[in-house]
Amino acid sequence: MTNSAIQLMQIDLDSFGQFIQKLVREELEKHIPAQLTEREFYTREETAKLLNVSLTTLFHWNNDGTLKNTKIGKRVYYSKDEVFSKLKQVS
């Protein structure tokens, strides 16, 4: 018969959530090939950071056709290919 112990400790909700996210991420990385984890779309925030522009600039670029977005549900995303194409133009 094995001897098991239960250990109780106080932990705040944010830390517990981060701990669970880390465990889930590690398990998923074991089972999902690296090629499938490559992102095809970026959020507005990620796109703005990559291009070093404001969210307002992204909005205007979408309106004038400079960089088109894609809506999935209520969320706005930018295609990886279009973002890198714009990065090449800027640099």
Side-chain angles (χ1 to χ4, degrees):
M1 182 186 244
T2 61
N3 188 8
S4 60
I6 297 176
Q7 183 179 2
L8 299 176
M9 67 175 127
Q10 284 187 324
I11 186 169
D12 62 289
L13 190 56
D14 289 336
S15 297
F16 183 68
Q18 290 172 355
F19 176 72
I20 295 297
Q21 286 176 345
K22 179 184 171 199
L23 290 177
V24 169
R25 187 177 303 115
E26 288 172 356
E27 285 301 313
L28 286 174
E29 287 173 354
K30 290 178 187 175
H31 300 287
I32 298 176
Q35 297 170 346
L36 293 179
T37 60
E38 182 66 31
R39 300 180 73 179
E40 295 297 322
F41 292 94
Y42 294 111
T43 64
R44 293 174 62 233
E45 292 77 12
E46 292 169 331
T47 304
K49 187 175 180 181
L50 279 170
L51 298 175
N52 199 27
V53 297
S54 69
L55 295 176
T56 305
T57 300
L58 286 179
F59 173 79
H60 291 295
W61 283 354
N62 182 61
N63 286 342
D64 67 15
T66 303
L67 184 65
K68 284 292 186 184
N69 65 30
T70 302
K71 288 190 176 182
I72 301 175
K74 293 183 179 182
R75 297 180 182 255
V76 175
Y77 295 94
Y78 290 88
S79 164
K80 172 184 159 185
D81 296 332
E82 286 195 39
V83 170
F84 281 103
S85 172
K86 185 65 179 175
L87 265 175
K88 288 178 185 176
Q89 287 177 359
V90 172
S91 58

